[in-house]
Amino acid sequence: MRKILVVFCIVLASLFSLAACSKETKNLTNEEWEPRNVYEKDGEVLLEVIPDPAEKPFGYLFRFEVPFEAEKIAIYAYHKETGEKITVISSETTKEPSSGNSTLESFSATFTVPKSGLWLFEVELDDKFYADAVVLVKDRNP
């Protein structure tokens, strides 16, 4: 019985891992893959992504420079070389600030990307594209 429970837990954990990661190609030019922590539209900064490499897993602060009234936020990460997609936050309600933040203008997320390299962090508000940033993630085991 114990053996069956262990196998079941392993299978369940594998299914959750597969659900959170997938391959999805982002058709960006090499210029669009240049590292940038800021997203601008019409000369106005909408989003800044601030990585905190001192933490494991890494923490990221998503700072919204323009107040927003969205009901939901979703954050996805795409690896440039492999096309791997990670669901960082899956359409979560935004009525309350994230831990450590007093307003909705900053949203923190702690997660680990499985590979070093360039990652595109894409933010959706109410299931629509809002902004993105390209972050260079260094190898955690130099």
Side-chain angles (χ1 to χ4, degrees):
M1 181 66 177
R2 183 180 237 181
K3 201 178 229 182
I4 293 172
L5 183 59
V6 170
V7 171
F8 176 75
C9 288
I10 291 171
V11 170
L12 192 59
S14 298
L15 290 174
F16 280 121
S17 295
L18 289 174
C21 298
S22 64
K23 297 241 182 196
E24 187 171 310
T25 305
K26 289 303 259 185
N27 294 323
L28 300 177
T29 65
N30 282 336
E31 185 177 299
E32 291 171 311
W33 274 108
E34 287 294 316
R36 58 181 168 74
N37 290 24
V38 174
Y39 180 85
E40 293 182 40
K41 183 177 180 183
D42 300 326
E44 183 175 33
V45 174
L46 298 182
L47 176 73
E48 181 179 11
V49 177
I50 304 166
D52 182 7
E55 291 185 27
K56 283 188 180 183
F58 293 149
Y60 295 87
L61 177 67
F62 293 80
R63 181 180 300 150
F64 297 88
E65 302 295 332
V66 177
F68 65 89
E69 296 291 324
E71 294 284 323
K72 297 186 293 184
I73 184 171
I75 301 174
Y76 304 99
Y78 300 87
H79 190 248
K80 180 183 180 184
E81 291 179 27
T82 65
E84 184 173 358
K85 176 185 177 183
I86 296 172
T87 300
V88 176
I89 297 171
S90 178
S91 208
E92 184 175 291
T93 302
T94 58
K95 296 206 184 281
E96 297 292 325
S98 60
S99 177
N101 296 300
S102 58
T103 67
L104 287 174
E105 283 136 16
S106 294
F107 190 91
S108 58
T110 302
F111 58 95
T112 301
V113 292
K115 298 172 181 62
S116 60
L118 289 173
W119 285 86
L120 173 77
F121 295 130
E122 186 175 85
V123 176
E124 291 182 359
L125 297 179
D126 290 335
D127 301 319
K128 294 179 186 155
F129 174 84
Y130 178 75
D132 62 20
V134 178
V135 176
L136 177 60
V137 176
K138 296 180 181 174
D139 190 359
R140 293 184 300 268
N141 303 316

